[in-house]
């Protein structure tokens, strides 16, 4: 402590209490929404009952004796169904930062849950493509809100010593959503005519979890202070930290939160303009944009969204393709659990670099097998052993992503930015991620049809770039209290030239941008 300012290494956040666990479980369950929707979509796009009802042309191509395996699912209408979700999520991310700031983290999650519930019901009752797409848009808006508010909630409420593990739980729940979706698809694919309705209708379950949970928890102390409700913030902090323990100094932590919030309130408007114009926020802008771009260019969209389609492409029947996707879900869950245990011990950067190396090698190997065995024209049948090798390589890739960029990128982006620009920078990052995911969901099936196995080499190149970026430019934030995060930028070999020391920043009132 120096001059009343929280220093790196100080930790007043107490231990793990029942309220912390339940609040974080509720917020982390927001990941179910994204995971379930992406997982259910991948299975639906090759489910016979769904294709028969809405995309008979794709079903016809699947049943042809002679076909280019790379191009079976290359349908613009099918692509529109998939990508409308991501376009809506991108647009929602542009306003999610403002919503999260004005109505609070908890209420933003609640709104997202209600919208997801409405979208799931509309998709369940769909009788034409228009109803499907409108439902997908509602689901996308819901995920745009919860994907910003839930990680921020987790970062602000978790004890410093375990903040990485708690924040990583959001990604863990995303993968629980993937697994539930694939298990649902695995059962639904055997039901003729209406199996697809079961797949889409089960989406009401994760939405109900977050709606009910959000009604039972309080907002974060940081959000309450920022919105001018200090008494509620103190009560919430006492609950969260377990103030009956003698080693928890609630008043001191509340002062640190109030100090950070005061700076945020002084910049209550123009957060995005400030982020784009002010020199001292240049590092935050650069890291936010880079992390958002690079995590989407890992190829994870290909694996998470199109895994059943890939397995079908290499020769597995529809139900076995979904079973292969279930295997990758289990691998990912185990890897995320390992990341949650390791992230607060070995640090963020180490896991990101390790995962990048594993992903790059597996993508190169996958491209080689596709090129050597399926052929450039997709007319050859892949031998069973090589098809099994593709499944194994996808599992290796998934393990690399889920122990690193999956959970750890969420940890990093939810904790390293100052409170006064945190909603703006996360909203910008969410919009970039949504735009890139939309572009890839639009482009991957045509790209697979056009450049064949080169699609995997394309993503491998980007993984190399992102690994180098992390090694050189990402500051390590392990063990740093969230209110003292400015120090990690001040100490970084490159970014320190842009940021002002905390003491100087306190003495100078920046004013609104």
């Amino acid at each position: 402590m120096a001059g009343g300012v929280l220093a790196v290494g100080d930790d007043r956040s107490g231990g793990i209490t029942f309220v912390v666990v339940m609040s974080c479980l509720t917020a982390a369950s927001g990941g179910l929404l994204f995971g379930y929707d992406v997982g259910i979509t991948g299975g639906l796009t090759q489910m016979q009952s769904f294709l028969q009802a809405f995309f008979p042309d794709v079903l016809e191509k699947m049943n042809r004796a002679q076909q280019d395996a790379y191009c079976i699912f290359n349908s613009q209408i099918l692509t529109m169904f998939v990508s409308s979700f991501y376009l809506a999520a991108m647009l929602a991310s542009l306003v999610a930062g403002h919503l999260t700031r004005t109505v609070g983290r908890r209420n933003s999650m609640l709104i997202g849950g209600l919208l997801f519930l409405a979208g799931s019901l509309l998709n369940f009752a769909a009788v034409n493509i228009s109803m499907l797409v409108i439902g997908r848009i509602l689901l996308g808006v819901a995920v745009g809100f919860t994907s910003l508010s839930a990680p921020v909630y987790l970062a602000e409420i978790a004890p410093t010593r375990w903040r990485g593990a708690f924040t990583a739980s959001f990604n863990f729940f995303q993968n629980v959503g993937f697994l539930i979706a694939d298990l649902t698809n695995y059962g639904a694919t055997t039901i003729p005519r209406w199996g697809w309705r079961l797949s889409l209708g089960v989406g009401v379950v994760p939405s109900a979890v977050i709606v009910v949970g959000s009604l039972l928890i309080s907002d974060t102390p940081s959000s309450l202070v920022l919105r001018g409700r200090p008494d509620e913030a103190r009560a919430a902090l006492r609950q969260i930290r377990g103030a009956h323990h003698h080693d928890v100094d609630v008043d001191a932590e509340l002062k640190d939160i109030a100090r950070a919030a005061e700076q945020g309130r002084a910049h209550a408007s123009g957060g995005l303009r400030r982020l784009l114009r002010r020199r001292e926020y240049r590092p935050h802008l650069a890291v936010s944009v880079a992390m958002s771009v690079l995590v989407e260019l890992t190829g994870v969209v290909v694996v998470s969204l199109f895994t059943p389609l890939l397995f079908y492409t290499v020769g597995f029947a529809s139900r076995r393709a979904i079973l292969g996707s279930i295997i990758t879900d289990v691998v990912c869950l185990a890897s995320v659990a390992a990341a949650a245990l390791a992230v607060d011990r070995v640090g963020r950067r180490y896991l990101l670099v390790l995962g990048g190396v594993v992903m790059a090698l597996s993508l190169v190997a996958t491209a080689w097998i596709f090129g050597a065995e399926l052929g450039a024209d997709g007319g050859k049948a892949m031998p069973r052993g090589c098809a099994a090798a593709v499944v194994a390589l996808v599992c290796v890739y998934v393990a690399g992503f889920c122990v690193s960029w999956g959970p750890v990128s969420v940890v990093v982006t939810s904790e390293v930015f100052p409170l006064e620009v945190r909603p703006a920078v996360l909203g910008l990052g969410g919009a970039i991620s949504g735009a890139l995911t939309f572009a890839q969901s639009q482009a991957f099936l045509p790209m697979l049809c056009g450049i064949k196995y080169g699609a995997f080499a394309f993503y491998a190149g980007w993984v190399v770039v992102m690994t180098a970026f992390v090694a050189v430019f990402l500051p390590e934030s392990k063990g740093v209290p969230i209110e003292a995060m400015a120090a990690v930028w001040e100490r970084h070999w490159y970014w320190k030239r842009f940021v002002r020391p905390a003491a100087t920043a306190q003495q100078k009132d920046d004013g609104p941008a």
Side-chain angles (χ1 to χ4, degrees):
M1 257 305 265
V5 180
L6 189 65
V8 175
D10 291 349
D11 182 10
R12 303 174 178 139
S13 59
I16 298 175
T17 64
F18 177 77
V19 174
V20 165
V21 172
M22 297 310 297
S23 298
C24 287
L25 282 175
T26 297
S29 68
L32 287 172
L33 305 187
F34 179 78
Y36 186 82
D37 188 86
V38 172
I40 216 69
T41 303
L44 277 176
T45 49
Q46 51 91 65
M47 186 182 295
Q48 184 167 337
S49 64
F50 181 72
L51 295 175
Q52 192 171 29
F54 297 103
F55 305 99
D57 57 321
V58 176
L59 186 61
E60 182 184 345
K61 284 195 289 184
M62 290 173 67
N63 294 329
R64 284 178 191 163
Q66 297 296 321
Q67 58 188 334
D68 183 345
Y70 290 112
C71 300
I72 292 174
F73 300 100
N74 186 23
S75 163
Q76 187 55 47
I77 301 177
L78 181 62
T79 299
M80 179 184 68
F81 163 74
V82 172
S83 60
S84 58
F85 170 85
Y86 299 104
L87 179 62
M90 175 195 71
L91 296 176
S93 295
L94 295 174
V95 299
H98 178 72
L99 180 76
T100 300
R101 184 185 185 96
T102 53
V103 306
R105 285 51 162 150
R106 185 200 69 165
N107 290 336
S108 182
M109 291 189 293
L110 177 61
I111 292 169
L114 291 170
L115 288 172
F116 200 91
L117 180 62
S120 297
L121 291 173
L122 188 59
N123 275 349
F124 172 77
V127 294
N128 53 47
I129 294 290
S130 298
M131 289 182 71
L132 279 179
V133 171
I134 293 171
R136 294 281 292 170
I137 290 171
L138 289 174
L139 297 175
V141 174
V143 168
F145 290 163
T146 55
S147 293
L148 185 145
S149 55
V152 173
Y153 186 99
L154 288 164
E156 291 180 350
I157 208 169
T160 299
R161 278 172 287 177
W162 296 284
R163 189 177 61 242
F166 275 104
T167 309
S169 64
F170 181 81
N171 188 261
F172 181 84
F173 272 80
Q174 279 187 354
N175 289 283
V176 171
F178 288 141
L179 179 59
I180 294 172
D182 283 330
L183 289 171
T184 303
N185 280 336
Y186 188 73
T189 194
T190 63
I191 303 173
R193 303 191 64 178
W194 61 271
W196 63 272
R197 290 193 189 273
L198 175 64
S199 292
L200 292 173
V202 173
V204 302
V205 176
S207 58
V209 169
I210 193 168
V211 167
V212 174
S214 297
L215 292 172
L216 297 176
I217 62 175
S218 67
D219 208 345
T220 69
S222 294
S223 178
L224 291 167
V225 169
L226 196 61
R227 290 185 289 135
R229 297 156 72 173
D231 293 336
E232 291 180 48
R234 179 178 283 102
L237 194 59
R238 286 185 179 279
Q239 257 194 325
I240 292 164
R241 299 302 182 222
H244 56 281
H245 294 300
H246 68 277
D247 58 339
V248 177
D249 190 346
V250 169
D251 289 334
E253 186 179 359
L254 189 63
K255 287 180 181 178
D256 294 323
I257 292 172
R259 187 178 296 111
E262 186 60 36
Q263 186 177 4
R265 197 178 292 112
H267 305 295
S269 62
L272 185 59
R273 291 196 304 273
R274 186 178 308 106
L275 184 67
L276 296 173
R277 295 177 183 176
R278 296 287 182 87
R279 174 184 170 86
E280 62 265 31
Y281 296 123
R282 201 166 295 166
H284 312 97
L285 177 63
V287 169
S288 173
V289 171
M291 292 291 287
S292 300
V293 169
L294 295 174
V295 75
E296 295 302 325
L297 292 176
T298 58
V300 68
V301 172
V302 174
V303 174
S304 60
L305 187 56
F306 298 115
T307 296
L309 274 63
L310 286 176
F311 291 163
Y312 188 93
T313 299
V314 300
F316 290 100
S318 179
R319 201 156 189 250
R320 287 192 175 185
I322 296 175
L323 181 60
S325 188
I326 292 172
I327 293 171
T328 64
D329 294 336
V330 174
V331 169
C332 191
L333 280 173
S335 301
V336 173
L341 293 174
V343 67
D344 290 314
R345 292 176 171 82
V346 303
R348 284 62 163 150
R349 292 172 71 248
Y350 176 84
L351 287 180
L352 291 171
V353 171
L354 174 65
V357 172
V358 171
M359 285 188 286
L361 292 175
S362 59
L363 284 169
V364 169
T366 301
W368 181 79
I369 291 178
F370 266 77
E373 302 299 334
L374 199 59
D377 60 359
K380 295 166 62 178
M382 185 174 288
R384 184 58 59 104
C386 292
V390 169
V391 175
L393 284 170
V394 170
C395 287
V396 171
Y397 169 89
V398 165
F401 179 82
C402 292
V403 82
S404 61
W405 279 80
V408 180
S409 63
V410 176
V411 173
V412 170
T413 54
S414 61
E415 72 183 6
V416 299
F417 303 117
L419 183 62
E420 67 268 18
V421 294
R422 192 177 300 153
V425 78
L426 290 174
L428 177 63
I432 292 171
S433 296
L436 284 172
T437 305
F438 170 72
Q440 289 183 93
S441 63
Q442 281 278 337
F444 176 69
L445 293 177
M447 184 168 70
L448 183 64
C449 183
I451 65 174
K452 317 298 183 185
Y453 57 86
F456 303 101
F458 169 82
Y459 287 113
W462 279 108
V463 171
V464 172
V465 171
M466 77 183 194
T467 304
F469 175 85
V470 165
V472 176
F473 291 111
L474 183 68
E476 179 57 66
S477 51
K478 179 187 74 171
V480 180
I482 198 166
E483 295 83 15
M485 201 58 69
V488 304
W489 301 95
E490 296 168 14
R491 296 180 309 192
H492 190 270
W493 72 272
Y494 181 75
W495 300 126
K496 64 183 180 183
R497 70 186 67 186
F498 297 99
V499 300
R500 291 176 297 166
T504 304
Q506 265 196 306
Q507 293 166 6
K508 184 176 178 180
D509 181 12
D510 293 335

